[in-house]
Amino acid sequence: MDASRPLASAFAYDADGRLLAVGDRDAVLAGHPGARRIDLGDATVVPGLIDAHGHVANLGYTFLRADLVGTRSKAEVIERLRASAKGLAPGDWLLGRGWDQNDWPEKDFPTAADLDAAFPDRPVWLGRIDGHAGWANSAALRAVTRDLGGNWQPDGGRILRTGGRPTGVFVDAAMDLVDAVVPPVDEATATRALELGMKAAVEHGLTGVHDAGVSLADLRRYQRLADAGKMPLRIDAMADGDGESFGWLCEKGLYRHPGGRLQMRAVKLYIDGALGSRGAALIEPYSDDHDTHGLLVIAPTKLREVVARARGCGVQVATHAIGDRGNREVLDAFEQALGTHPGDHRWRIEHAQVLAPADLPRLAKLGIIASMQPTHATSDMPWAQDRLGPQRIVGSYAWRQLRDAGTRIALGSDFPVESVDPRLGLYAAATRTDADGLPAGGWRPEEKLTAFEALRGFTLDAAYAGFDEARVGSLEAGKRADFVVLAEDPLAIDPSGLKSLTVRATYVDGRPVFEAPASR
């Protein structure tokens, strides 16, 4: 990722993990005659991969709760829930995440009744794959203190009802009604979730993650782990909305831990929901449901107010926007706050999934980074056009259009919505096909990225999005020795092989934080 030296055969770094030299093998060895030598043989080394949008704690909780990802029917959901419930005490809530009604034969939202036969008394609360809808059984509904009947809807959310009675599905801000009565996790479990999430990340070749929405309590947990030397990778934490952590950031100033593996300098906001649950805010109604335009989870006037405050505090803004109306509202708010001389703000739109044609060039004009997730396109492609229709789909998942317009694209996964594995993101970006290579040639192949552009999106461009390109993102003298050892060269193989690259080791600050058993 160093344009002046795209290839090298050796590099040297000091005991602190700072790169001293990168270049020809003989020259590097001659310049450091007393150094310990590590010969990686036929391996390929690339800069450490950075996921520009993930959720570390939520990933960790997938190992501690019922994992419903990939379930093909409600019956399979019940089967997994029964297995997960075996270790619970009577009365404990059964929690899980990962269901997606689009993967089921009927493709309809589930109901509380679908869970009640198996769990008549134990409260069950299950997050959808995208985190923008939840599914409760009747025992969980009974625990909610507010009367859920009638036609009332919470701001920024939707309670699905039949005949005035809740069906059990809550969308976006409505989920707060159930979340409020779920017993909180203890401190040890919350910390364990962070540890498990980071462990999974480095095992897949990640040396950094932009954690998109971190509470002040989780920041404190990160700080304790960093103090104890227990953070195996770099975390760029974003404050979770207009709340406690954002207030702390504005009061105390941009934060970096002295160990160099934790920082918070951004706030993560939301304007709308997700496309799969029809919560993404669209300018015109959904093509497969003419009764809804989706949801704005924050009023545009409130968004402008928070964005202006962030500008005044010098805090980077990263705003979730999926629908074309959601993206337009964010662009309008950013334009108003930044004015005609925006400077080096590096504000971001997270997902930037559906854009009206007139809005596509606005990101580059305003200097907005598109923080996008390639596997969203390949997961959504079976039904995305049903939601959007043939005209709007043209401005959707538009990586090539945005990049060619001059927009910098930082790539990630949105794990655990998608897999934490960045190899799948590299593959999706370069092929726009599913794991079986379908559709042949790729879905809307004109939007593909090259393998080099994809790798750059997970390295130097992701580093830039976190104001970190002077330290990481490429292998250059003076930067940190964060790198991944691969068995294959990702830029020399057919892009179809990117999903199965072999991670031999992950290094952060020049030390291995993961080594595959066969590579030790």
Side-chain angles (χ1 to χ4, degrees), residues 138 141-142 147-151 159-169:
S138 293
L141 294 177
R142 289 193 294 270
D147 181 6
L148 300 175
N151 296 317
I159 303 168
L160 272 60
R161 295 187 177 92
T162 299
R165 298 179 60 83
T167 65
V169 170

Side-chain angles (χ1 to χ4, degrees), residues 2 24 26 36 58 62 83 118 133 181 189 227 237 259 276 278 344 382 399 410 412 423 513:
D2 178 1
D24 175 75
D26 291 340
R36 175 188 172 216
N58 286 345
T62 65
V181 296
T189 301
D227 290 343
R278 297 186 184 87
D344 189 21
W399 316 324
R423 293 168 292 187
V513 293

Side-chain angles (χ1 to χ4, degrees), residues 196-277:
L196 289 171
M198 290 190 288
K199 178 176 181 290
V202 297
E203 288 174 352
H204 289 88
L206 290 172
T207 61
V209 170
H210 297 182
D211 197 341
V214 174
S215 67
L216 190 58
D218 267 343
L219 179 66
R220 299 293 187 228
R221 294 176 187 115
Y222 271 136
Q223 289 173 317
R224 289 191 288 271
L225 290 168
D227 290 343
K230 294 182 177 179
M231 288 190 62
L233 78 170
R234 303 186 197 282
I235 296 293
D236 188 340
M238 305 179 195
D240 62 340
D242 182 24
E244 195 177 20
S245 54
F246 177 41
W248 176 85
L249 195 57
C250 265
E251 178 185 352
K252 302 295 185 182
L254 308 184
Y255 169 79
R256 186 189 290 274
H257 187 273
R261 295 195 183 180
L262 174 65
Q263 69 172 356
M264 180 181 276
R265 58 175 304 138
V267 60
K268 161 77 178 304
L269 306 173
Y270 286 87
I271 186 65
D272 64 353
L275 198 63
S277 51

